[in-house]
Amino acid sequence: KILLLAAIITSTVASFAQTSSTSNLKVNLADIMTIEVLTKDVTINITTAQDYINAAELTGVKVAMPNHLKVVSNGGFKVKAAAGNLLGSSSAGIIESDKIQLDVVGYTKSSSNTSGELTGLTQGVAHNLATSAANALISTASIGGGTVGTVFNVDYTLKNVKNIANLPVDEYKTTITYTIEAN
């Protein structure tokens, strides 16, 4: 009787044993939109007679900046650029910022596993700098235009500076501000 009772109790307990359970899993994605200038200094050297001729004309003097801008965005984005006029140390020395042309000439994705990125990508060509960031230098579609990390190549060209032969010999400087916003 005792063995029978023990067998009944054991089978009853065994029939109420828990054999599985569940847990809740969540993935929270936060908004992210960053831009980073990877090479901070850009220098266009005008050192030869041909450089002066080219800078005065539409040909221009170009400096290529590979791997210049890095963008990470969880959705479509626009990148804009603005700069003040380039000033020399003397008050007579000014090169207008719109004499600098920016061309985005290519890009590299940070990951090879990103085929669904950069939908609707437009890379700015013949984008003259201005004192306000009105036009997009780079843009993507609002849906599918995000990137886990893309590095863009940018060419800087000084061109159409009609008075370049009459500017004082000097170093002309400005700061370019790149901004990123949702598209």
Side-chain angles (χ1 to χ4, degrees), residues 12-13 15-16 29 32 52 54 57-58 61 87 90-91 94 104 136 143-144 149 156 164 168:
T12 305
V13 169
S15 66
F16 291 115
L29 298 177
I32 186 165
Y52 272 91
N54 291 346
E57 295 178 351
L58 291 176
V61 177
L87 305 175
S90 76
S91 60
I94 294 174
V104 179
I143 306 225
Y156 290 76
I164 195 159

Side-chain angles (χ1 to χ4, degrees), residues 62-154:
K62 176 172 56 174
V63 172
M65 299 300 294
N67 304 318
H68 190 52
L69 300 174
K70 182 177 182 180
V71 173
V72 177
S73 178
N74 70 316
F77 62 91
K78 291 179 188 177
V79 172
K80 297 179 178 182
N85 291 329
L86 291 90
L87 305 175
S89 58
S90 76
S91 60
I94 294 174
I95 298 174
E96 292 87 8
S97 62
D98 67 352
K99 303 302 181 188
I100 302 290
Q101 178 180 298
L102 302 177
D103 297 306
V104 179
V105 294
Y107 63 89
T108 304
K109 293 181 180 178
S110 297
S111 171
S112 61
N113 191 22
T114 56
S115 62
E117 292 186 2
L118 300 174
T119 301
L121 174 65
T122 302
Q123 300 175 85
V125 177
H127 178 86
N128 287 357
L129 274 174
T131 54
S132 65
N135 299 319
L137 181 61
I138 304 165
S139 67
T140 63
S142 57
I143 306 225
T147 176
V148 297
T150 301
V151 178
F152 292 92
N153 307 322
V154 180

